[in-house]
Amino acid sequence: MTLRFSVLASGSTGNAFYIESDEQKFLVDAGLSGKQLDYLFSQVQVDPAKLSGILVTHEHSDHIKGLGIIARKYNLPIFANEKTWKAMEKSLGKLSLDQKFYFGMEEVKTFTDMDIESFGVSHDAAEPMFYTFHHDGKKVALVTDLGYVSERIKKTVEDADAYIFEANHDVGMLRMGRYPWSVKRRILGDSGHVSNEDCGLALSEIISNRTKRIYLAHLSLDNNMKDLARMSVENVLRERGIEIELHDTDPKNSTALYEVG
């Protein structure tokens, strides 16, 4: 019994995450074109027609750009909470009723051999939420698009085998960058995005001896770099006596399919 996943794409330009067990195959978010999503699936040799469904975190375009397209093409069910459905439905195009399902906030749904738990995050969307995935004693946590990491979130995602965790920006780059101050203030605020340093601080409080894999995700195209994010998070962890390898994600290429455990 196994749990496998790939970060198909991650960044400020588009996000998609794939996870599978022996019996289930889920896509989380579809923030790229249908053509790009098909290409990303081909990189990990997964047939999107065999997906069990698509889980949605929130309605921002970098998470739902290709959602309606891929759902129609492969006749896939979509799971989202009620407020997210209301916020995104008009932008998805026509879907049949049997493709629309509700997945409530702070809910656990069981799909044969996989349990999926949703949890709310602080982000400027209708009702944003992310997920932890459980299978045969293994746990994977997907945690991006949050202004800060609350104690409640830490409790929910702690002690996972693998993390896909936001390291969105370097604070210095963001402050000195070309964005207008209103945008900078949004990103730096409690409903914006997590910085490299705050990513490291949060990880230092939640990872355990069972944690074997950490991917740094949702890096800003303008206000971060892979090497800088990795170095910044590593420095914070090392200051707290934690040595663990960090892995990159990419907005245009998928990570290799990783088997948990």
Side-chain angles (χ1 to χ4, degrees):
M1 297 177 71
T2 53
L3 193 62
R4 294 169 293 269
F5 68 83
S6 167
V7 184
L8 297 178
S10 186
S12 55
T13 56
N15 297 273
F17 174 73
Y18 171 72
I19 189 163
E20 68 176 26
S21 61
D22 295 333
E23 298 180 13
Q24 300 292 327
K25 300 175 185 290
F26 281 98
L27 173 65
V28 184
D29 290 340
L32 301 96
S33 71
K35 185 176 180 180
Q36 286 174 300
L37 288 166
D38 280 340
Y39 169 70
L40 294 168
F41 274 117
S42 73
Q43 286 189 319
V44 291
Q45 297 180 309
V46 169
D47 181 0
K50 295 182 179 179
L51 288 171
S52 308
I54 307 171
L55 304 165
V56 181
T57 62
H58 62 294
E59 73 277 9
H60 289 169
S61 62
D62 60 322
H63 292 261
I64 66 162
K65 180 179 180 181
L67 179 58
I69 296 165
I70 195 168
R72 276 187 295 276
K73 183 175 181 178
Y74 299 110
N75 192 30
L76 300 172
I78 300 171
F79 298 84
N81 64 49
E82 186 174 0
K83 288 183 179 179
T84 298
W85 266 116
K86 287 180 181 177
M88 71 177 181
E89 197 156 14
K90 288 182 180 178
S91 65
L92 299 185
K94 185 166 180 158
L95 295 167
S96 63
L97 280 176
D98 61 1
Q99 289 180 278
K100 301 176 184 179
F101 293 87
Y102 288 107
F103 197 135
M105 179 82 75
E106 317 293 342
E107 183 178 354
V108 178
K109 282 187 180 293
T110 298
F111 299 88
T112 62
D113 68 341
M114 188 190 298
D115 294 328
I116 304 176
E117 179 181 8
S118 66
F119 59 93
V121 300
S122 173
H123 192 54
D124 56 353
E127 193 168 66
M129 67 184 194
F130 280 78
Y131 303 94
T132 61
F133 304 85
H134 306 261
H135 169 78
D136 192 31
K138 303 298 182 185
K139 178 180 178 180
V140 174
L142 177 62
V143 195
T144 72
D145 294 78
L146 65 170
Y148 71 100
V149 189
S150 68
E151 294 303 315
R152 177 181 52 79
I153 291 173
K154 291 174 189 174
K155 193 69 179 170
T156 300
V157 304
E158 67 182 0
D159 194 32
D161 295 272
Y163 289 94
I164 301 87
F165 210 96
E166 179 172 45
N168 175 258
H169 59 275
D170 174 79
V171 173
M173 285 184 70
L174 176 61
R175 289 188 181 277
M176 297 295 291
R178 61 182 178 84
Y179 288 3
W181 175 242
S182 60
V183 176
K184 294 178 182 180
R185 187 170 54 195
R186 170 200 168 251
I187 294 170
L188 291 166
D190 283 350
S191 58
H193 290 283
V194 168
S195 70
N196 296 336
E197 288 74 17
D198 286 344
C199 169
L201 288 169
L203 286 171
S204 72
E205 295 183 34
I206 61 177
I207 62 177
S208 67
N209 290 335
R210 73 185 268 188
T211 305
K212 298 296 185 288
R213 185 65 63 116
I214 297 173
Y215 291 88
L216 301 182
H218 213 297
L219 273 66
S220 168
L221 191 64
D222 294 303
N223 302 304
N224 213 349
M225 296 178 288
K226 291 178 185 178
D227 289 345
L228 178 58
R230 208 179 326 109
M231 181 183 68
S232 300
V233 176
E234 280 177 352
N235 286 343
V236 174
L237 293 175
R238 282 174 182 161
E239 286 173 1
R240 285 152 182 77
I242 300 169
E243 293 279 348
I244 188 167
E245 186 178 359
L246 302 175
H247 297 265
D248 296 330
T249 59
D250 191 87
K252 294 182 178 179
N253 291 288
S254 60
T255 64
L257 203 61
Y258 172 69
E259 185 168 315
V260 180

